[in-house]
Amino acid sequence: MSRPERFEMLVLGSGEGGKFLAWHMAKSGHRTAVVERKLIGGSCPNTNCLPSKNEIWSAKVADLVHHADRFGMVTGPVATDVKRVLARKRDMVDGLIAMHLDQYKASGAELIMGTGRFIAPKTVEVSLNNGGTRVLTGDRVALNLGTYATIPDIPGLAAAKPLTNVEALELDRLPDHLVVIGGGYVGLELAQAYRRFGSRVTIVEAGPQLAGREDPDVAAAILEMLRDEGIAVHLGAKVLGVQGRSGETVSLQLHTPLVDQTIEGSDILVAAGRAPNTAGIGLNLAGVALDPRGYVAVNDRLETSAPDVWAIGECAGSPQFTHVSFDDFRIVRDNLAGGDRTTRNRLVPYCMFTDPPLARVGLSEAEARHQGIAVRIAKLPIVAVLRSRTISETRGFMKALVEADSERILGFTMFGADAGEVVAVVQTAMLAGMPYTGLRDAIITHPTMAEGLVPLFANAPAR
Ligand SMILES: Cc1cc2nc3c(=O)[nH]c(=O)nc-3n(C[C@H](O)[C@H](O)[C@H](O)COP(=O)(O)OP(=O)(O)OC[C@H]3O[C@@H](n4cnc5c(N)ncnc54)[C@H](O)[C@@H]3O)c2cc1C
């Protein structure tokens, strides 16, 4: 073994939390290195959130143009130029990579491009992308390894070489008929986008509803939206086998509660779960224990079983969002500085960027029931929010949960235009411990979607 190069902070994987930690530590004067095998800045800017939202925005434009006459616009024939959709996305990603490289330079953290694996506690051997190896040790080490899309163990599926989100967002052609396996947020966002670009789309979901963690009324509204756009959806559908090759022709045998059938398609997108990038990288040699699902086992301070080794983001089993990985960074940063910051009681909002989007913070009705928490429920159709009429986006509803015997807001769900922005208003009120009457009685700008919070909370049943 060559003599290890010593760093005060060594980060393996340059995801959201890892890169912010590296930049912070380097700027604070600590000798810092980040090892990244491919994605400068991690998966969010390269293959996940931002590329998907970029292409989803192109799909929104496609939808607006297709329905331009509704808005009084006269257009000629409309077609999707997938190569230009892809080029716009790639331009954005290139810009983001340049932005990240600037940050590395400005902070002084060294970015080492290669694949790392532990060969001893706090010691990583890096197979450099441009050849050769380096051995690095860190006084402190952070793991920010992320996850990858799993391919379910279905006969013929792996051999069909299905797309995952990574390949789907690099397509330079329009699938004739895209079959999406998985009705979670990744599958639904891309299904709708490709439908709007002009593909036939079929969604196959094993569970009884789409968006499995949401309340049934939310899932039903999403289903209706997708079907209205011409997407075929099979629920409770087990894929028994797959023949053919994605990109050419594929056929899938489905078993559903109603009927067994075969569907023919041109491409398969698998969006049916993720697994951590923790296998085969010597974590056992580093003394880092994994949980039964293969995620790095951490306590609520994000410490692993190995002294001075921390884990951040999805590989640590944190909720799978960029904003959570960022918060994990803040927890590790503060704990490294002697603080005691934990993952306990985090209020984690999220948004599924379908059109309209679905956003939630806090409890759903089902979760409240499951936890035995009595709530008052307020609901408001989006059509009652007058902003929605000005933009002809009247689909959806808002739903709020207020504690039965107090004025505390326990949850908010919105399926409607600008839901990702409106949810932040309710989240802020929840963080401030504001009673729901604070929002009910607020003066909110007219006409905005957030204005709907006033009549929504006015609908909360009295105690
Ligand atoms: C299609 C899609 C859309 C999404 N959209 C959203 C969204 O809109 N909003 C949202 O909040 N979240 C979204 N997510 C989730 C989000 O992308 C992640 O939660 C987020 O990027 C945080 O990831 P992370 O910090 O855990 O790790 P990552 O960003 O995945 O970083 C891990 C890094 O570690 C590197 N790595 C792994 N092993 C090694 C090794 N041995 N050596 C060197 N490098 C290694 C990987 O190459 C990778 O760059 C989406 C996910 C998908 C799949």
Side-chain angles (χ1 to χ4, degrees), residues 13 15 36-37 43 48-49 53 116 144-145 185 314 321-322 325:
E36 170 56 48
R37 63 185 176 193
S43 58
N48 291 7
C49 329
K53 270 78 251 184
N144 185 205
L145 302 161
Y185 78 87
E314 297 196 350
F321 302 108
T322 296
S325 185

Side-chain angles (χ1 to χ4, degrees), residues 208-460:
Q209 66 168 51
L210 297 173
R213 69 168 93 160
E214 305 304 329
D215 284 334
D217 54 351
V218 175
I222 295 169
L223 179 64
E224 184 179 64
M225 166 194 73
L226 296 171
R227 286 191 168 149
D228 285 352
E229 293 203 18
I231 296 175
V233 180
H234 299 276
L235 297 176
K238 188 168 170 6
V239 184
L240 301 175
V242 176
Q243 282 86 42
R245 200 180 162 98
S246 181
E248 297 166 6
T249 55
V250 287
S251 67
L252 295 86
Q253 288 76 53
L254 296 192
H255 173 71
T256 69
L258 296 177
V259 64
D260 284 1
Q261 59 182 301
T262 298
I263 48 176
E264 312 283 345
S266 60
D267 296 76
I268 299 177
L269 166 64
V270 174
R274 304 189 63 84
N277 292 317
T278 51
I281 55 164
L283 286 169
N284 51 333
L285 301 176
V288 174
L290 302 180
D291 74 12
R293 296 182 312 142
Y295 288 83
V296 178
V298 290
N299 62 17
D300 60 16
R301 289 166 44 85
L302 296 174
E303 289 163 319
T304 71
S305 56
D308 299 318
V309 181
W310 306 73
I312 290 175
E314 297 196 350
C315 74
S318 292
Q320 302 196 336
F321 302 108
T322 296
H323 39 284
V324 174
S325 185
F326 181 75
D327 190 55
D328 285 1
F329 143 66
R330 295 189 293 209
I331 290 171
V332 174
R333 175 198 64 194
D334 290 2
N335 290 339
L336 283 173
D340 189 18
R341 192 163 171 167
T342 76
T343 53
R344 277 196 304 270
N345 301 323
R346 289 198 285 192
L347 192 57
V348 176
Y350 56 86
C351 183
M352 173 176 81
F353 289 83
T354 48
D355 182 27
L358 165 74
R360 174 145 77 91
V361 62
L363 296 179
S364 69
E365 257 186 277
E367 287 166 352
R369 204 176 311 118
H370 187 71
Q371 293 175 30
I373 300 172
V375 292
R376 290 179 277 157
I377 293 168
K379 255 180 123 167
L380 185 82
I382 292 296
V383 70
V385 186
L386 299 185
R387 171 69 181 164
S388 74
R389 298 184 185 225
T390 67
I391 57 176
S392 300
E393 299 202 7
T394 52
R395 185 188 289 279
F397 60 88
M398 296 180 178
K399 176 160 67 168
L401 271 59
V402 176
E403 198 168 37
D405 55 5
S406 83
E407 317 294 37
R408 202 152 71 98
I409 305 168
L410 295 182
F412 172 74
T413 303
M414 176 172 170
F415 178 55
D418 293 338
E421 312 297 330
V422 178
V423 75
V425 177
V426 182
Q427 181 191 1
T428 306
M430 291 170 79
L431 287 169
M434 184 195 272
Y436 83 91
T437 48
L439 283 175
R440 183 195 66 189
D441 300 339
I443 301 173
I444 297 182
T445 310
H446 173 76
T448 60
M449 294 305 292
E451 189 188 19
L453 296 173
V454 172
L456 171 73
F457 283 105
N459 283 345

Side-chain angles (χ1 to χ4, degrees), residues 11-19 34-53 112-118 124-126 143-149 164-166 169 185-187 189-190 274 277-281 312-316 318-326 328 349-353:
V11 180
L12 185 56
S14 77
E16 178 76 0
K19 72 198 178 198
V34 179
V35 179
E36 170 56 48
R37 63 185 176 193
K38 188 167 183 201
L39 306 173
I40 296 171
S43 58
C44 169
N46 287 281
T47 57
N48 291 7
C49 329
L50 298 175
S52 59
K53 270 78 251 184
I112 299 170
M113 295 305 295
T115 301
R117 70 180 177 96
F118 283 92
V124 171
E125 183 181 75
V126 185
L143 307 171
N144 185 205
L145 302 161
T147 59
Y148 64 94
T164 69
N165 63 290
V166 176
L169 291 165
Y185 78 87
V186 173
E189 288 181 356
L190 291 175
R274 304 189 63 84
N277 292 317
T278 51
I281 55 164
I312 290 175
E314 297 196 350
C315 74
S318 292
Q320 302 196 336
F321 302 108
T322 296
H323 39 284
V324 174
S325 185
F326 181 75
D328 285 1
Y350 56 86
C351 183
M352 173 176 81
F353 289 83

Side-chain angles (χ1 to χ4, degrees), residues 98-157:
M99 191 187 86
H100 280 87
L101 290 173
D102 286 347
Q103 290 283 345
Y104 277 105
K105 205 165 160 194
S107 68
E110 184 183 358
L111 176 63
I112 299 170
M113 295 305 295
T115 301
R117 70 180 177 96
F118 283 92
I119 52 173
K122 298 200 280 184
T123 307
V124 171
E125 183 181 75
V126 185
S127 302
L128 299 167
N129 288 355
N130 56 9
T133 56
R134 279 171 73 176
V135 178
L136 319 170
T137 64
D139 298 343
R140 290 142 156 194
V141 175
L143 307 171
N144 185 205
L145 302 161
T147 59
Y148 64 94
T150 50
I151 308 294
D153 189 15
I154 294 169
L157 181 58

